[in-house]
Amino acid sequence: MDLTEQQTIRDLYALLEKEELSKLQGQTLSFGGFVRNARSMGQVAFLSLNDGSCFENLQVVYDASKDELSGIRLGCSVQVEGVLVLTPEAKQPFELKASRVELIGKVADDFPLQKKRTSFEFLRTIPQWRMKTNTFNAVFRVRSALAYYIHEYFFQHGFYWIHTPILTANDCEGEGQTFQVTADAKKPAEFFNKDNVHLTVSGQLHVEPFALTYGKVYTFGPTFRAEKSNTVRHAAEFWMVEPEFSFAHLLDDCDLMEDFLKYVVSKTMERCEQDIRFFNERIDSHLLERLKEFIEKPFARVEYRDALKLLEKAKEEGHRFEVEDFRFGLDFGSEHEKYLTEVIFKGPIFLINYPKDIKAFYMKQNDDGETVAAVDLLVPQIGELCGGSERECDYDKLLSRMEELHMNIEAYQWYLDLRKNGSIPHSGFGLGFERLVMLVTGMQNIRDTLPYPRCYKDMLF
Ligand code: 4AD
Ligand code: MG
């Protein structure tokens, strides 16, 4: 069988959209997939068949008198062959009048999925099955489309994809939240002959030399953080997209982030229209409205110092925050980020120029001596979607900051040296890919955007 020739249910819907489905009317087609629903009325049986290609099912109608088909129910795999009939008056726009229905894989009595709605908590305990439910079927299709359009955007804009390593001897964010790697727990240093090897928290440091050579590059791969926090937005293993580009300053970084995100979200909305319509109906009734605004409205740009003033003003006007100590040098909590995006700006905001003490060592030091050219993109419902900065490209300034932070200079000498030879201004950011999936699907727990979530005290198999 030539897989490229095989019709999928998605192909039928694509033809319907173009008003060309009538050319298949009366033709014999075959499909394989699993059964979402089965029922019979007298001599006629109906199957809802899903082949995974899109959200919609194919209605299959056949003669129910065949005994061997009586076991067909939710979860069974079948192959069907029959004639396509357009049914513009009915609930579904077409159906397959099957001449052959073959039960390929039966379902055991303990099959955990049922017709009735099941909680996301329960489905998290069966990640090997949950993609067969409407919701997760749609989530992972959207996830795949988002990844595709991320690559498409960068490819079209001249960025090269660099595969930075997963095993590393550097800690990019300098927070020590790393997973150690060893081949022998008793002699951890032996295998690589290094003091400390761990799973990467970010590909940024490794990708910077490529940006200084190719101009525009990005990494896109798994990253790992041993944060002992149990939230709906943190995973121990998540994917990060990290563009890095030369001759770019902080505001160029914001421009790239905005253009890139708007492209990826709008393309995915077109491609996964059925899926996103379902999320809007069943998961979050404001989703479509929010996504439309995300694409159409410019993101606000707000100085950290101005954000402090706005929060102070909200407090004076009577809004109660759990943490009400707004001083320069403090990081915002999620309640503050929420207030800024959802109440004051009613949309995504770039918060820029943070105090240097709450940001990473590599960020460009501003002339005020107190702030760095950092940016966080904050989004309603999600919180921090991206974090980035212009990089410090002055050797002496970077060295003195690293000394201030008591970093192991020797281990980062290779990185420092980039500032000695042909140094240029450059900037980049990291997008938490799962948080983007949350944004586009309306799913509220990061565990429901990862095929097999790995979180604090939470990993199944
Ligand atoms: O803000 P972060 O820590 O930035 C960096 O790692 C930079 N090196 C990126 C760069 O400039 N190239 O992480 C970037 C993004 C965050 O904004 C957040 O969306 C996501 O990664 N993120 C997480 N997502 C899920 N689970 C976690 N534990 C995450 N930690 C960060
Ligand atoms: Mg951050």
Side-chain angles (χ1 to χ4, degrees):
M1 182 176 68
D2 182 354
L3 278 179
T4 56
E5 292 289 310
Q6 180 76 15
Q7 296 271 359
T8 64
I9 298 171
R10 181 183 168 76
D11 295 333
L12 300 186
Y13 274 92
L15 286 172
L16 182 74
E17 182 95 336
K18 290 193 280 181
E19 298 185 0
E20 288 176 16
L21 189 61
S22 55
K23 73 181 185 197
L24 291 183
Q25 161 105 311
Q27 288 200 22
T28 299
L29 304 174
S30 60
F31 296 88
F34 84 92
V35 173
R36 274 272 168 78
N37 192 17
R39 65 195 165 87
S40 58
M41 272 166 58
Q43 289 302 298
V44 192
F46 300 89
L47 294 183
S48 290
L49 186 70
N50 189 279
D51 67 356
S53 63
C54 68
F55 185 84
E56 298 292 341
N57 301 318
L58 174 66
Q59 167 148 292
V60 181
V61 187
Y62 66 100
D63 179 356
S65 63
K66 295 178 187 160
D67 248 10
E68 71 271 26
L69 298 180
S70 61
I72 294 187
R73 59 194 179 92
L74 172 78
C76 288
S77 298
V78 296
Q79 270 192 324
V80 299
E81 191 175 270
V83 176
L84 188 76
V85 181
L86 272 63
T87 53
E89 311 293 312
K91 203 171 122 221
Q92 64 292 319
F94 50 81
E95 61 187 27
L96 195 78
K97 289 233 175 314
S99 48
R100 187 173 67 83
V101 175
E102 198 178 334
L103 176 54
I104 306 288
K106 289 185 192 159
V107 152
D109 289 340
D110 60 358
F111 183 57
L113 298 181
Q114 292 168 14
K115 246 184 264 172
K116 65 177 180 5
R117 271 217 216 181
T118 325
S119 74
F120 293 157
E121 287 78 12
F122 170 68
L123 292 172
R124 270 172 227 143
T125 68
I126 47 167
Q128 73 277 39
W129 296 117
R130 68 175 175 167
M131 71 291 267
K132 288 188 188 288
T133 63
N134 273 330
T135 303
F136 288 94
N137 202 250
V139 165
F140 297 119
R141 225 176 354 256
V142 169
R143 188 179 163 109
S144 170
L146 284 168
Y148 173 82
Y149 290 116
I150 285 169
H151 286 301
E152 184 175 89
Y153 179 89
F154 286 130
F155 191 75
Q156 287 179 358
H157 288 78
F159 284 72
Y160 292 105
W161 182 16
I162 306 299
H163 304 98
T164 50
I166 285 174
L167 300 181
T168 174
N170 296 137
D171 176 5
C172 174
E173 295 305 296
E175 306 220 342
Q177 292 174 320
T178 54
F179 289 103
Q180 302 302 309
V181 173
T182 171
D184 180 346
K186 291 198 196 92
K187 298 182 216 147
E190 191 181 68
F191 190 92
F192 290 107
N193 205 15
K194 274 260 160 237
D195 297 339
N196 191 354
V197 173
H198 45 254
L199 301 178
T200 189
V201 298
S202 156
Q204 180 196 325
L205 301 189
H206 289 107
V207 93
E208 279 189 47
F210 286 85
L212 299 176
T213 307
Y214 295 91
K216 298 193 267 187
V217 297
Y218 69 108
T219 74
F220 185 7
T223 47
F224 307 85
R225 296 201 184 177
E227 290 159 312
K228 292 188 179 159
S229 53
N230 199 340
T231 83
V232 295
R233 293 188 187 85
H234 290 87
E237 176 175 336
F238 61 100
W239 281 55
M240 216 201 298
V241 181
E242 297 182 90
E244 191 74 29
F245 59 133
S246 287
F247 302 104
H249 301 284
L250 181 65
L251 296 182
D252 303 315
D253 210 21
C254 299
D255 289 344
L256 175 67
M257 219 184 285
E258 184 163 354
D259 192 54
F260 156 75
L261 284 168
K262 286 180 169 169
Y263 178 89
V264 169
V265 170
S266 66
K267 284 289 190 175
T268 304
M269 284 175 74
E270 272 170 43
R271 169 81 195 191
C272 300
E273 200 223 323
Q274 294 171 346
D275 298 305
I276 292 174
R277 207 176 333 117
F278 167 81
F279 291 126
N280 195 65
E281 278 163 23
R282 301 292 278 273
I283 304 291
D284 177 347
S285 60
H286 297 292
L287 179 67
L288 270 173
E289 187 191 338
R290 229 177 22 248
L291 291 177
K292 235 173 138 250
E293 276 195 15
F294 185 91
I295 291 167
E296 287 168 5
K297 263 182 38 185
F299 299 172
R301 297 178 182 199
V302 189
E303 293 278 338
Y304 167 91
R305 288 181 198 273
D306 293 334
L308 273 185
K309 286 185 204 145
L310 289 169
L311 291 171
E312 191 61 53
K313 186 162 156 262
K315 189 175 94 179
E316 278 161 18
E317 287 170 0
H319 185 80
R320 294 271 73 88
F321 294 101
E322 267 173 47
V323 176
E324 297 205 320
D325 186 8
F326 306 121
R327 262 179 305 120
F328 181 86
L330 296 178
D331 212 352
F332 297 125
S334 54
E335 55 164 344
H336 309 122
E337 296 181 346
K338 218 173 156 56
Y339 195 82
L340 288 166
T341 56
E342 292 174 20
V343 181
I344 302 184
F345 290 96
K346 299 188 174 55
I349 61 172
F350 289 115
L351 259 192
I352 55 175
N353 295 321
Y354 280 75
K356 66 174 187 202
D357 290 328
I358 54 173
K359 289 292 177 187
F361 74 96
Y362 51 72
M363 296 189 177
K364 183 180 168 57
Q365 296 158 39
N366 289 328
D367 291 340
D368 62 11
E370 292 185 318
T371 59
V372 285
V375 52
D376 275 6
L377 176 65
L378 308 179
V379 175
Q381 312 278 321
I382 305 291
E384 181 187 334
L385 179 63
C386 303
S389 76
E390 182 169 343
R391 317 308 186 189
E392 182 53 76
C393 61
D394 180 279
Y395 186 93
D396 296 323
K397 283 189 184 168
L398 183 59
L399 177 63
S400 71
R401 183 68 186 139
M402 291 170 74
E403 284 170 348
E404 240 170 58
L405 293 168
H406 308 292
M407 289 174 65
N408 174 358
I409 304 296
E410 201 189 326
Y412 293 86
Q413 193 59 52
W414 69 273
Y415 180 74
L416 265 164
D417 286 348
L418 301 173
R419 276 76 184 154
K420 242 183 358 199
N421 308 294
S423 184
I424 27 180
H426 59 291
S427 301
F429 66 86
L431 158 72
F433 183 56
E434 285 70 23
R435 294 188 186 176
L436 180 65
V437 181
M438 290 170 77
L439 177 92
V440 174
T441 59
M443 298 300 282
Q444 278 162 23
N445 193 320
I446 198 166
R447 291 163 183 76
D448 297 332
T449 64
L450 282 151
Y452 296 94
R454 275 88 178 86
C455 297
Y456 183 51
K457 303 233 185 255
D458 185 6
M459 166 158 152
L460 276 180
F461 49 78

